Amino acid sequence: VWLAQSSLGSSCFSIASFSTSEQQQQVAVSLLLQTLQMFLARTLRPVSRSLTSVRAFSSSAPSQDVLKQRFSEVVPAQVAIIKDLRAKYNDVVIGTCTVDQAYGGMRSVKSLITETSLLDPEEGIRFRGLSIPELQQQLPAADREPLPEALLWLLVTGEVPTAEQVESVKANLASRSQVDDYTLELISKFPKDMHPMTQFSSAVLSLQRQSKFAKAYQEGVHKSTYWDYAYEDSMDLIAKIPQVAANIYRHTFHNDTFIAPDTSLDWGQNFSRMLGFNDPAFEELIRLYMVIHSDHEGGNVSAHTTHLVGSALSDPYLSFSAGMNGLAGPLHGLANQEVLRWLKGFQQQVGVGVCDTESIKKALWDTLNAGRVIPGYGHAVLRKTDPRYTCQREFAQRHLPNDEMFKLVSAIYEVAPGVLTEHGKTKNPWPNVDAHSGVLLQHYGLVEDNYYTVLFGASRALGVLPSLMWDRALGLPLERPKSITTEALLKELTSKK
């Protein structure tokens, strides 16, 4: 009591001293223990870094939070690997930056660590080492497509979950999923002409009032426990996103006819039902969509922004909202709706049902000769067909082979790479994920393409928030690259001659 009183004030001492009833004494003891815990967190320091690792990841997770417990168990091994790697190779150069890269968006500059996924120019995205076909084969599924809960376990722990572990994640998210009345009321008051992504980012910021990370930081918890609160915030946010995103859709396009959540359903299925769809095939599409759009290593705008803002110890709500503002840009998350609009115009140009090679080729050349691009083709890193495009194509072949827009997309796929190669101005003439996703959503009746980026954002939470958990678990520092002026660069370059 004296330690707490001297460090944090006399309030706890006076409560303990003058509480007389048994109930008051129990409250006083509880307050006193919390106060002492705060004091110890502020004053005691571990003896060594190795002891810090062991102590920091002795998780206080309740037994039912199996994911958090497993996360706490796998982190120390990764910490040890990184510690050994840095001890041996700290001064080794892993990449360079040319003048062209400095002015050209830092493409291919190796300067970030992201544990959850890796993008290979030839193979495409790998989630914890697994390709998309491998995810479809190995992750537990409701029907055929992987469950988002299974992917979440994989990205957090690096391990393929069992069906039982996936059920524990499902129950965990369900227990966290209730959205506060203030945020729901806020969504219902947004102007109808406010872009759905602006609504989404704003609603996430509204949820920030509940941040456990921000509260713990204000209370002075030791930095070795930051991961715990980042995990809590991230899981809370992932759990609430389906209702937040669905309510934005129902508010903007369906006159505030909201649909209550059903937490007995899986994450993707519940999301689909709250959007207003009750079609098992569409539910499978949503599961697939959420999985394949979740993560794309750490250099893309939404992932990097979330990481960058989080490196300032902004809580996961603030960090994710910032990432969503990046996703809302035309060169990132808005691309799929732009592809769909282009496809509709292209269909009018060649005629509905016209998919012959010569007509498609002529229309593509007309597009390029007019100084426009063929949207949905090319990628900053990939040099082959995006596997995310391929799995959507396979889904369409199974579920909607006779859809006219799908037939057009398939015909363009057969012709466009050759046209773009002959054109000679595209490094990668193959389709990316955006070339297909809008067509699938349209087929099932989700025709409001202004909303598509919110779907993208909901899925991206499954990737960038586990990365944020790992950022705090590994103690990654504030990101602060060096910038220089053009004048300084010229001086440096000319002085070397």
Side-chain angles (χ1 to χ4, degrees):
V1 173
W2 175 82
L3 285 172
Q5 183 180 10
S6 61
S7 175
L8 300 169
S10 61
S11 59
C12 64
F13 179 79
S14 60
I15 292 172
S17 299
F18 297 106
S19 296
T20 55
S21 72
E22 183 178 349
Q23 183 178 10
Q24 287 176 316
Q25 288 173 358
Q26 288 174 351
V27 172
V29 169
S30 176
L31 289 170
L32 185 57
L33 288 174
Q34 292 178 34
T35 308
L36 286 171
Q37 185 179 21
M38 291 166 55
F39 168 77
L40 292 173
R42 291 181 183 181
T43 56
L44 299 184
R45 292 295 181 265
V47 175
S48 67
R49 287 186 179 272
S50 60
L51 287 176
T52 300
S53 298
V54 175
R55 179 155 38 197
F57 297 103
S58 297
S59 173
S60 59
S63 58
Q64 65 268 26
D65 195 341
V66 183
L67 176 58
K68 186 175 184 180
Q69 183 62 40
R70 188 59 189 144
F71 180 43
S72 72
E73 293 166 352
V74 300
V75 167
Q78 187 68 11
V79 170
I81 290 170
I82 293 171
K83 182 178 179 181
D84 181 64
L85 183 151
R86 295 189 68 176
K88 292 178 179 177
Y89 304 111
N90 237 20
D91 295 326
V92 175
V93 176
I94 61 172
T96 58
C97 182
T98 65
V99 171
D100 181 59
Q101 288 172 317
Y103 282 101
M106 306 299 291
R107 298 198 174 189
S108 301
V109 177
K110 294 179 181 178
S111 58
L112 293 171
I113 298 296
T114 303
E115 304 289 358
T116 50
S117 63
L118 180 67
L119 180 57
D120 184 272
E122 299 301 324
E123 293 185 347
I125 188 67
R126 283 188 173 270
F127 301 88
R128 290 291 193 169
L130 298 181
S131 66
I132 288 176
E134 288 169 338
L135 291 183
Q136 292 174 309
Q137 293 167 6
Q138 297 184 36
L139 290 185
D143 183 6
R144 180 168 181 151
E145 302 300 343
L147 286 163
E149 294 93 332
L151 180 78
L152 180 58
W153 180 286
L154 174 69
L155 295 184
V156 172
T157 68
E159 301 167 345
V160 174
T162 64
E164 183 180 6
Q165 288 167 333
V166 172
E167 279 300 309
S168 74
V169 175
K170 175 186 169 185
N172 189 348
L173 293 175
S175 71
R176 300 169 180 265
S177 63
Q178 185 172 351
V179 180
D180 64 279
D181 291 340
Y182 175 84
T183 299
L184 295 177
E185 181 71 13
L186 178 68
I187 293 171
S188 71
K189 299 300 183 185
F190 282 139
K192 299 284 188 179
D193 60 351
M194 178 184 283
H195 194 283
M197 276 301 284
T198 308
Q199 297 182 47
F200 188 48
S201 176
S202 301
V204 170
L205 287 178
S206 171
L207 294 170
Q208 190 271 343
R209 296 173 303 121
Q210 306 165 33
S211 172
K212 296 169 184 173
F213 185 95
K215 183 175 184 293
Y217 186 86
Q218 284 296 110
E219 292 174 349
V221 300
H222 193 273
K223 62 183 180 181
S224 64
T225 65
Y226 287 168
W227 72 273
D228 193 322
Y229 303 100
Y231 172 92
E232 290 295 330
D233 274 5
S234 297
M235 291 294 287
D236 285 347
L237 181 51
I238 290 169
K240 291 172 173 56
I241 275 176
Q243 186 175 10
V244 168
N247 275 30
I248 289 170
Y249 177 73
R250 303 297 300 181
H251 165 66
T252 306
F253 303 109
H254 293 277
N255 298 315
D256 294 302
T257 53
F258 303 119
I259 299 171
D262 181 351
T263 55
S264 69
L265 306 176
D266 65 71
W267 193 85
Q269 187 180 29
N270 188 29
F271 189 9
S272 173
R273 296 284 178 87
M274 286 189 288
L275 287 170
F277 297 87
N278 193 7
D279 182 338
F282 183 76
E283 290 165 4
E284 274 287 89
L285 174 61
I286 288 296
R287 294 183 187 111
L288 176 65
Y289 188 102
M290 293 295 130
V291 167
I292 66 174
H293 286 80
S294 62
D295 210 29
H296 220 226
E297 73 174 29
N300 65 78
V301 172
S302 55
H304 187 199
T305 301
T306 304
H307 163 79
L308 174 63
V309 175
S311 79
L313 297 186
S314 299
D315 62 65
Y317 296 93
L318 296 174
S319 303
F320 182 69
S321 178
M324 292 304 93
N325 292 336
L327 188 69
L331 296 183
H332 192 14
L334 286 189
N336 57 359
Q337 73 180 53
E338 292 192 342
V339 170
L340 183 62
R341 290 171 183 176
W342 176 81
L343 280 171
K344 290 178 177 178
F346 192 87
Q347 188 179 54
Q348 291 179 350
Q349 181 181 350
V350 299
V352 176
V354 177
C355 295
D356 65 279
T357 299
E358 289 306 314
S359 298
I360 298 295
K361 181 182 291 187
K362 180 181 183 304
L364 290 174
W365 274 114
D366 288 344
T367 298
L368 294 172
N369 290 334
R372 300 191 299 271
V373 300
I374 299 175
Y377 280 74
H379 193 274
V381 179
L382 276 171
R383 293 297 174 262
K384 61 175 289 186
T385 298
D386 190 335
R388 299 173 299 172
Y389 173 93
T390 303
C391 70
Q392 290 182 100
R393 175 175 169 80
E394 292 168 351
F395 182 95
Q397 289 171 329
R398 290 195 303 272
H399 293 280
L400 47 135
N402 298 316
D403 182 273
E404 290 296 340
M405 192 65 79
F406 169 60
K407 289 180 180 179
L408 178 61
V409 168
S410 296
I412 294 173
Y413 178 49
E414 297 296 327
V415 177
V419 170
L420 288 167
T421 299
E422 185 179 348
H423 187 245
K425 294 184 179 181
T426 304
K427 292 181 180 180
N428 173 24
W430 303 102
N432 59 50
V433 65
D434 299 312
H436 217 307
S437 55
V439 171
L440 299 178
L441 296 169
Q442 288 273 313
H443 175 82
Y444 289 102
L446 207 166
V447 297
E448 300 87 357
D449 54 28
N450 250 11
Y451 182 76
Y452 290 175
T453 313
V454 176
L455 287 178
F456 196 164
S459 70
R460 189 48 56 102
L462 297 169
V464 300
L465 291 174
S467 285
L468 208 56
M469 298 179 200
W470 274 95
D471 290 348
R472 300 290 74 78
L474 298 176
L476 298 187
L478 177 70
E479 185 175 303
R480 178 60 170 86
K482 171 65 177 169
S483 69
I484 59 175
T485 64
T486 297
E487 180 183 9
L489 177 61
L490 283 170
K491 286 182 179 179
E492 182 176 335
L493 294 172
T494 55
S495 67
K496 294 180 179 179
K497 291 184 178 180

